[in-house]
Amino acid sequence: MPELDLSASSVDLTRVICDIPSVSGDEKTLADAIFAAISPLPHLDVYRDGDTIVARTQRERSQRVAIAGHLDTVPINANLPTRDIEVDGAPYLWGRGTVDMKAGTAVQLKLAAELTDPRVDITWLWYDNEEVDSERNGLTRLARTRPDLFAADFAILGEPSNGQVEGGCNGTMRAVVRTHGVRAHAARAWMGENAIHRAAPVLARLAEYRPREIAVDGLVYREGLNAVRISGGVAGNVIPDLCEVEVNFRFAPSRSIADAEAHMRRVFEGFEVDIVDAAAGARPGLDAPIAREFLAAVGAEARPKYGWTDVARFAALGVPAVNYGPGDPLLAHHDEERVSYAQIEDVERSLRAWLSIP
C-alpha cells in the first residue's frame, strides 16, 4: 500500500495521490492510504464507511464546518502518471485528477493533519463514487447510515473553482424522449414507420431552445438543455421501430425538481418522456453570517456554480455550502487536465488562515 506523508507540501501531496489511480469504483487503494495516514492523529475522531472516510475535531467550539472532497476520477486517458509542466512560465502539475479534484483533497488532507486546534470544529469528509450515479455516491450512503456526520453550520466542497468561491449549484435532470414506429424491411420502407425519422422534431426543439439566465440570491445561473445521447436501429436492413434521445437539463437552483420536470414535459409535449435521473440544485448559501465571513476572509469574488456538485446534499439538510478549490473547472475531465502550483498554495494558505485561531 502506498504511504502518504502529510507533512509534504500540498503540491507534492497532490502529485502522490494523483499517481494512485482511483477511477470511480476503484478508490480502495487511495482510501486505504488516507485512512492509514489519518487514523493515528490524536486530535481527530476517524470513521470509515466503505471507501468514505470522515475525520472530526471535537474541541467543543461554538461552530462546526464540514469540508469535503471526493477521491474518484473519471477514466484515465493516457494522462497518468502526473508530470510537471510550464504554462506561460509558471509551474503546473499535469494529469488526471489534478483539477477534479485531488488538488483540493490534498490541501484538505494536509490541513486536517496540521490544524490540531482550529477556531471552529471541523468535519473532514473524503468520499468515493462522486463521478457516477448518485446512488453509488459515498455521501448518499453516509446520509443513510450516519446522517449525524453532516451536522455543520457551513460546508465547503473542494471542487475546482479557480481559487474563487462558487455559491450553490445548478440542478440536473436526465430524461429519455422516445419515438415509436413500425419495423419493416428497408427495401420496402413504405410498409413501416421510421422511429429515427420521427425523432427529428425532438432534435429541432433542442436546436431552437434558448436557455435562460436566472438570478438567484445575487448570482446569475445559466441553464442548458441538450441531447447527450441518441440510440435507435435494429439492423442494416430494418426500418427501426424505436428511437431514444437522452436529454440533460441543467436548471437554476430556484427551480425544484418538480418544476424542472414540468418544464421538460412542456418542451417535449406530444412525445413520450421518461425522467431517469434528477438532483436538485443548491441556492448560493452566501447570506449566512459564517459564509459572508468566509468570503471576506479568503478575499474571493462569489460566482455561480453551473455544474451540479455535492453542495446540494448539504443545502438539502439546511447547511449553507459553497465550492472552493484549486483548478480551472474548464479543465476538469480534460485530457490536458492541469493545475498551477500557485493556485494549490493559495487555497491552502487562505483556508489555513481562516480556520486557524488568530
Side-chain angles (χ1 to χ4, degrees):
M1 181 181 69
E3 293 185 3
L4 300 182
D5 178 6
L6 301 186
S7 67
S9 72
S10 51
V11 171
D12 287 340
L13 194 54
T14 300
R15 183 181 294 106
V16 172
I17 66 173
C18 283
D19 285 340
I20 303 173
S22 57
V23 174
S24 303
D26 190 27
E27 299 96 331
K28 185 177 186 302
T29 300
L30 179 56
D32 286 347
I34 291 174
F35 186 72
I38 289 291
S39 293
L41 300 177
H43 65 284
L44 294 173
D45 289 345
V46 181
Y47 172 79
R48 181 169 182 174
D49 182 328
D51 291 330
T52 290
I53 299 161
V54 182
R56 297 191 294 173
T57 65
Q58 301 285 11
R59 295 291 182 180
E60 298 185 357
R61 305 295 193 219
S62 60
Q63 292 179 306
R64 177 172 290 277
V65 174
I67 303 179
H70 63 81
L71 306 183
D72 61 323
T73 71
V74 297
I76 298 163
N77 188 26
N79 46 11
L80 279 186
T82 54
R83 66 174 186 259
D84 297 305
I85 64 171
E86 283 194 2
V87 178
D88 297 328
Y92 277 69
L93 185 64
W94 173 96
R96 175 64 77 229
T98 51
V99 170
D100 193 11
M101 56 167 285
K102 289 184 178 178
T105 299
V107 167
Q108 294 170 9
L109 287 167
K110 184 169 180 60
L111 293 179
E114 296 180 357
L115 294 177
T116 59
D117 192 30
R119 69 180 188 86
V120 293
D121 271 316
I122 306 173
T123 300
W124 305 96
L125 303 101
W126 301 290
Y127 60 101
D128 59 312
N129 283 300
E130 188 270 350
E131 300 287 3
V132 290
D133 290 347
S134 176
E135 190 56 30
R136 294 172 57 189
N137 188 301
L139 294 186
T140 300
R141 186 174 64 251
L142 199 66
R144 288 195 297 259
T145 60
R146 289 293 305 273
D148 56 297
L149 296 178
F150 285 81
D153 299 284
F154 182 54
I156 301 169
L157 191 66
E159 287 283 357
S161 63
N162 253 336
Q164 300 298 312
V165 174
E166 293 184 334
C169 67
N170 272 335
T172 182
M173 175 174 287
R174 288 186 300 117
V176 173
V177 183
R178 295 188 180 91
T179 56
H180 298 271
V182 177
R183 289 191 193 187
H185 196 295
R188 293 173 290 278
W190 63 88
M191 296 299 295
E193 295 177 5
N194 196 311
I196 293 179
H197 293 182
R198 286 186 169 185
V202 175
L203 300 179
R205 292 183 195 185
L206 287 166
E208 294 165 1
Y209 186 85
R210 295 295 176 263
R212 294 198 301 168
E213 293 186 353
I214 300 176
V216 182
D217 300 341
L219 298 182
V220 178
Y221 293 83
R222 182 178 174 84
E223 296 190 323
L225 186 68
N226 292 281
V228 293
R229 184 180 290 111
I230 186 167
S231 61
V234 179
N237 59 353
V238 177
I239 299 301
D241 61 344
L242 176 66
C243 183
E244 295 184 331
V245 181
E246 185 175 336
V247 178
N248 181 224
F249 182 31
R250 299 290 174 142
F251 55 93
S254 54
R255 293 188 195 260
S256 67
I257 289 178
D259 292 337
E261 179 177 350
H263 181 73
M264 288 271 271
R265 294 191 183 281
R266 283 195 299 272
V267 171
F268 299 109
E269 186 176 358
F271 292 94
E272 179 184 332
V273 178
D274 183 15
I275 306 298
V276 295
D277 186 45
R283 300 183 80 91
L286 295 172
D287 52 348
I290 190 171
R292 293 197 298 270
E293 177 191 302
F294 169 73
L295 195 64
V298 301
E301 177 186 352
R303 301 174 178 177
K305 186 70 171 179
Y306 294 128
W308 187 91
T309 74
D310 283 308
V311 295
R313 299 182 187 279
F314 291 97
L317 296 171
V319 179
V322 298
N323 304 277
Y324 179 64
D328 182 348
L330 295 179
L331 292 174
H333 305 182
H334 198 285
D335 286 346
E336 295 300 322
E337 190 172 350
R338 60 189 182 271
V339 63
S340 76
Y341 285 20
Q343 209 166 81
I344 297 173
E345 293 162 350
D346 285 347
V347 168
E348 180 196 336
R349 188 180 306 112
S350 295
L351 277 175
R352 185 188 297 275
W354 184 63
L355 293 168
S356 298
I357 295 175

